Amino acid sequence: MSDYKEKATAYLQDIKMIAIRIQSLRQDIRKLQYDIITLSAIDYSKDRVSGGGTPVGLEGEVARLVDTVDTKKREIAKLIAKREEARALIEKIECIPGRIILAQEYINGAFPKKVQAMIYYEKSSYFNLKNKALNELGELLS
């Protein structure tokens, strides 16, 4: 494996993990938004057997959850920007089929067999094109 290919592969593996991280953050946001709705929907003004009344700091708790959601959204925006930088770098590769392979596998998260079927190349040709594109990308990264 050439140095360029190793460099490109390491870079793209990090980019591939971005999709997983974004998905995880989005799940966290959905959970937090549900928590906010749940907290906001509870009517604390009615008397309860245990004493009732509005608990102190409910507004603060909701505000903290909202801030956490905003922080996660900012992190998603940064990750998307990083992914789009990688996409722009891949677009500079001269080998068009190789460009498609790298974008589909590492940016869009498609499995190699699916990409191979999509572009109609034999397995050996597919991997030759992928290796060529990885070497080109590695050169661009250097």
Side-chain angles (χ1 to χ4, degrees):
M1 193 189 249
S2 75
D3 288 340
Y4 288 140
K5 183 178 174 186
E6 286 178 15
K7 188 172 193 170
T9 302
Y11 173 76
L12 290 173
Q13 286 300 331
D14 288 344
I15 297 302
K16 195 173 192 177
M17 292 306 295
I18 285 175
I20 295 167
R21 179 70 181 140
I22 289 171
Q23 183 178 21
S24 175
L25 287 166
R26 286 182 175 153
Q27 287 174 343
D28 291 349
I29 288 171
R30 281 192 294 276
K31 172 75 171 99
L32 288 166
Q33 288 171 333
Y34 176 78
D35 291 346
I36 291 168
I37 291 168
T38 302
L39 275 176
S40 299
I42 298 172
D43 182 3
Y44 286 102
S45 63
K46 296 183 180 177
D47 288 338
R48 310 225 185 247
V49 175
S50 62
T54 304
V56 177
L58 179 61
E59 300 83 14
E61 193 63 26
V62 171
R64 185 184 63 76
L65 291 173
V66 169
D67 287 345
T68 303
V69 168
D70 289 343
T71 301
K72 290 184 182 292
K73 285 181 179 180
R74 282 191 299 275
E75 185 177 349
I76 288 172
K78 287 177 186 175
L79 291 169
I80 289 171
K82 187 174 181 181
R83 184 184 65 198
E84 292 310 309
E85 286 173 15
R87 185 185 308 275
L89 195 57
I90 288 171
E91 287 300 317
K92 292 179 181 179
I93 295 172
E94 290 181 26
C95 175
I96 294 173
R99 185 187 314 165
I100 293 167
I101 291 167
L102 296 185
Q104 289 299 316
E105 279 190 34
Y106 294 99
I107 304 293
N108 298 334
F111 291 106
K113 281 188 176 188
K114 182 178 177 184
V115 181
Q116 181 186 346
M118 181 179 81
I119 62 172
Y120 306 109
Y121 279 98
E122 295 289 326
K123 190 174 185 176
S124 62
S125 297
Y126 175 86
F127 285 106
N128 287 337
L129 289 166
K130 182 177 177 178
N131 287 333
K132 182 179 179 183
L134 285 169
N135 281 318
E136 277 188 58
L137 182 62
E139 285 182 59
L140 290 171
L141 289 168
S142 294

